[in-house]
Amino acid sequence: VIMGVVMALNAFMIGFQVSVPLDPTNKADQDVQTSLEILDQLFTLIFTGEIVGHVMADGWPWLWSMANMFDVVVIGVTNVIPMWLLLPLDLSDRAIRPFAVLRMIRLLKLCKLIRKYRQFAILWDLMAGLMNSLQTLMYAVIVLSCALYILSVFCVNFLARHESLMEDDFTQDHFGNVSDSWFTL
């Protein structure tokens, strides 16, 4: 449960890092960036400690489970290498850091925890229902995408190419080609 909370907090931090542009010349933004780097170091230490603890408790066979191997690779590539190898050597980690979002996939491990506790039975039923409906949702997305594409072609042909609307900036901006029309719809 504790690691689930830590993973959720790490996911919130990653979401904050991705969504808030920080200006390196602004003093307040520099302080926020420093705080985020400290939190990143802390999460790296906690996640590395989790792996070491599992290996010490369960032995090396723990590593050969696909889920555990995925955790080790994600933590190693997105946490340990950038934070403890590249940063001290003053090397750029720009090529690796975008993969930090992969750490959020580890939240799926919480599904196993939710299923174990009776207090979360309703939440588990909701999650199981969503997982069981993924195929139906995927087909719905495909049908809606096809319908939007057909309507987009229709809008381009009958709106953007209509003589009275050829000079209308709004129509041309929003329905001038299929991709613009698709996103407008």
Side-chain angles (χ1 to χ4, degrees):
V1 176
I2 293 172
M3 284 310 296
V5 171
V6 170
M7 286 189 284
L9 290 173
N10 185 245
F12 288 127
M13 187 196 76
I14 291 170
F16 182 78
Q17 281 178 321
V18 170
S19 63
V20 177
L22 297 174
D23 180 15
T25 60
N26 185 343
K27 174 70 172 134
D29 285 352
Q30 287 174 353
D31 293 342
V32 170
Q33 184 64 36
T34 302
S35 299
L36 289 174
E37 287 173 5
I38 291 169
L39 283 173
D40 224 0
Q41 292 280 358
L42 180 66
F43 285 122
T44 302
L45 182 65
I46 291 170
F47 293 148
T48 304
E50 176 195 18
I51 290 171
V52 169
H54 277 294
V55 170
M56 289 176 67
D58 301 328
W60 290 106
W62 179 85
L63 291 172
W64 303 120
S65 162
M66 288 303 278
N68 297 338
M69 195 178 298
F70 175 79
D71 280 350
V72 170
V73 169
V74 166
I75 291 167
V77 170
T78 64
N79 284 66
V80 174
I81 291 174
M83 298 303 293
W84 292 349
L85 294 177
L86 297 180
L87 201 66
L89 294 174
D90 226 12
L91 298 172
S92 175
D93 62 348
R94 292 190 189 276
I96 294 175
R97 292 312 283 174
F99 294 106
V101 177
L102 289 176
R103 282 186 272 171
M104 298 190 58
I105 294 174
R106 296 185 71 221
L107 286 174
L108 295 176
K109 290 175 86 174
L110 294 179
C111 294
K112 290 166 79 176
L113 285 175
I114 289 172
R115 189 171 61 184
K116 287 182 182 179
Y117 295 102
R118 199 172 359 158
Q119 298 94 332
F120 298 119
I122 295 172
L123 180 59
W124 173 250
D125 289 341
L126 176 65
M127 290 174 54
L130 283 172
M131 286 187 268
N132 291 333
S133 67
L134 283 178
Q135 185 177 14
T136 304
L137 289 172
M138 183 185 71
Y139 286 128
V141 167
I142 290 171
V143 169
L144 287 172
S145 296
C146 290
L148 277 174
Y149 178 76
I150 292 167
L151 288 172
S152 298
V153 171
F154 177 83
C155 287
V156 169
N157 281 326
F158 292 103
L159 290 177
R161 301 234 169 96
H162 192 271
E163 292 176 17
S164 63
L165 297 173
M166 290 292 279
E167 301 298 322
D168 184 35
D169 290 336
F170 179 84
T171 303
Q172 296 306 316
D173 287 344
H174 292 88
F175 300 103
N177 58 48
V178 174
S179 61
D180 289 342
S181 180
W182 190 355
F183 288 113
T184 299
L185 293 173

